[in-house]
Amino acid sequence: MIRIGIFFGGSSREREVSFAGGRTVYDNLDKSLFEAVPIFVDSLGRFILLEWEYLYKGTIRDFYPPAQHQPRDFQIYIESLAQSPAAWLERIATEVGRPITPADFAGLFDVAFLALHGSYGEDGTIQGLLEWYGIPYTGSGILPSAIGIDKATQQRLFQKMGFERPAYRLIGRDDYLRMDARALEAMLQASLQQLGDPLVVKSAHQGSSIGVSVLRNPKLEDWQQALDKAFFIRRLSLSEWHKLNEEQQRARLIEWTDIREGLGFPMLAEYENEHTTLYHPHELRAWLQKHTEGQATLYALQNTETEVLIEAFIHGQEFSCIVVEDLQGKPVALPPTQIIKQSEVFDYRAKYLPGISRKITPIELPDEQIEAIRKACVALYEAMEGEVYARIDGFITPEGKIYLNDPNTTSGMMPSSFFFHQAAEIGLDPSRFLTYIIERSLQVRAAQPNLHFVSRRLLAQLQQLREKLHHQKQDTIRVGVIMGGYSSERHISVESGRNIYEKLSASTKYTPIPIFLTGNAGNWRLYRLPVHLMLKDNADDIKEKIENYQTHPIIEQIKQEAQALTARYAQDAFFEPQAISFEELARMVDVVFIALHGRPGEDGSLQARLEEYGIPYNGSGVASSQITINKYETNEILKQHGVPVAAHRLVHKEEWLQQGMQVVESIEASFAYPFIAKPADDGCSSAVKKVKNRDELIAYIEASFRSDETLPQELMQRLGLKPGAPFPPREFFLIEELITARGARRFLEITGGLLTHLTPDGKRRYEVFSPSETPALGEVLSLEEKFLAGEGQNITPARFSEDPEENRRITEVVKQHLQKVAEILDVEGYARIDAFVRVYSAEKVETVIVEVNSLPGMTPATCIFHQAALHHYKPYDFIDGILTYALNKQKKTKLKHT
């Protein structure tokens, strides 16, 4: 085995993307060739050999600093504790792993796989450190990395090399801070005259579109706000601050201290002639409460900017293109991807939340223009002396001008990122693509005198391992991973399905086969998916490609150009989707993993069809699934068994059409504002709304019972929905009372997972995991908080009490409550149960059930993986347990509870 040290985290504003990317690499490395060693870099710059359990937390702040060092009302990064004694900070690091130094690297791993982003990660710094200690690493070396991070240097350098660049000007931080209103207005007018309208304002050293604004017909106030955003400065009126209520103040503090859209810590607070350095949200709140009038200004002190770029707006199609080297060192541009945004900036949310933007590969242009983009990207890659791979972003105008504006020497490595998405177009799945990256990186490092011999030795070792595996044949279990569907949760289903596929494909026990389900309630269609379609951006893109499948001449050309690479890594790739029947599915697979969410995966109908053909499947059976899909029926059954649930009622479209406002009055007679409105048979926080008044209730009713598929903008605004938020029309929805503390000394929203096992005598045994605490940052737990890297807060295990022994006892009581629910509803396989917990005392604990998910989301950072990790299951082990139960259940059909 070759030991791969995966570097992730870091101190940049992109640390959460790096954390998620590091986890992807860890999971997808070929387990027959490599041993993954997780090296977490904290935001103080220390290296920690991380305990693997923490890789599966949703965000860095979910485990570091550990929960006992986190305030209850905010989540903080370790820099908020940076003023603490060094020995104490060292002890905190030991709670999640083993602090190490660069001198320890060679004893722990053979190759460094760099998944770090931004400053100190892709700027040449870590590359230089690794060279100093004689450690081969992946990707570009010091020089191209330093060029790739600096947008201002790129402008000057690439323009001299003859590449098309948008007109631009630079503003230095010191110059900006000296400007008064008149100077700012003059600079705005000069920028408009030189560059035109609209203007693009961007930070010079950030990625993931952090610090970027597009200004159309800007006024002075817009101009200053955009520059402040790019320089990480916030100006605020203290009198306005003091008008906000406590909840609004907390929301504003979260916004200001966010490392992506806000400032992060430490920050400098300026009031008149007073300057105070702040490290913690509580310090900031106390400072703001102390000052009552006038203006205050906050400045980021870490990850700040010294220069901001002002650029002319490019009217054209936006694209991103991965350039890879083949094993002879020749750069090959993969098919460029077109980015279709719902707003002008391809921001963090649009990049990493499924279904928010569209990515079309290859870009929809004539072949000669696609080829021109590819040639330009290769030329830029060579000009910056790139090595192994790079991602190059740009625009092509209607006139055919190509602007390349952002080379990235470390691409994002989320499961659906451009990095994997484009490699799949030539047949490389994520596991094999990572193997290629490692092998090619070793070839490049072997050309460096100080890394020559160690890299050559590792290349020989890798070749020996590959030859040994080639001569070993092993029978595997064929798993059909069914994903997609036609519910509002179809995009999350694809994310779940991809994750299951990737975990199984890196194993030696299973052979996963991706299956896409589409159609409607009356007509299902199944397709065996090639990997390049599975890695399309979302379910709708996959469906469109299946229904209109055709080979693209540019992709066929790239396959030929990369033949040496694909012959080595993708010999068995296929590219055309195959329509299959259930009879064919039964011959193709040994077991099915249903990764669908909502109907038809969670309502028992797919389970019934699989049973017809004798195909084992994961999760609960037909009868249980038919109950748990319906939140109203679930509530009614649990209520009958004495399980606490919220007061609830259904609202039907027919009722609204016949009775109109009488329905509103009837709801108001039974439920006090605020209350919860939500779909009765959907999940993922889709269309869940805290209704605070009659206007919001009427808007929710009108949105739910509309006749058109498209939601009018006016209703989106009344409901406060973000662009792209799913809100499909429906025939009925559920009203529930708002669950509150009711005098409990501690009140938490939790989610608890479980796994079932078969005992030797055929009985079912429940293993209920310690639940996670899932506080919502807004009115309800959002789609972003559940599935977007770096968003949300999942504290596992939940904090029911400050006293460790009392917390343990209460946790066991809650787990018993969750098991009772699972038993009542005959849940099996695995599940996730959402609830609120009221802790009155150690002896009096009430668990109010919200919903039961019989096929919970299995995206990479979902909290059921955090919980399973505490029970010593890696995600693969957890999935293996689910499949083992499914296969064993098929053999023993009569089960009893223990």
Side-chain angles (χ1 to χ4, degrees), residues 171 176 184 187-188 199-204 209-216 218-235 261 263 305 307-311 345:
I171 300 173
Y176 173 60
L184 276 172
M187 182 176 60
L188 170 60
L199 296 170
V200 180
V201 181
K202 60 172 73 170
S203 303
S209 301
I210 292 169
V212 176
S213 301
V214 175
L215 301 179
R216 292 185 180 275
K219 304 293 186 288
L220 180 60
E221 182 182 1
D222 307 323
W223 177 237
Q224 186 171 34
Q225 284 179 357
L227 290 170
D228 280 351
K229 179 181 177 181
F231 279 119
F232 302 103
I233 298 168
R234 293 294 181 272
R235 304 171 201 268
E261 296 303 318
L263 308 181
E305 280 293 346
E307 285 183 310
V308 163
L309 271 170
I310 314 299
E311 291 182 345
V345 178

Side-chain angles (χ1 to χ4, degrees), residues 44 46 64 81-94 99:
L44 298 179
R46 298 178 305 174
Y64 191 73
L81 304 177
Q83 295 301 96
S84 305
W88 186 81
L89 289 170
E90 190 76 5
R91 282 199 304 274
I92 284 185
T94 63

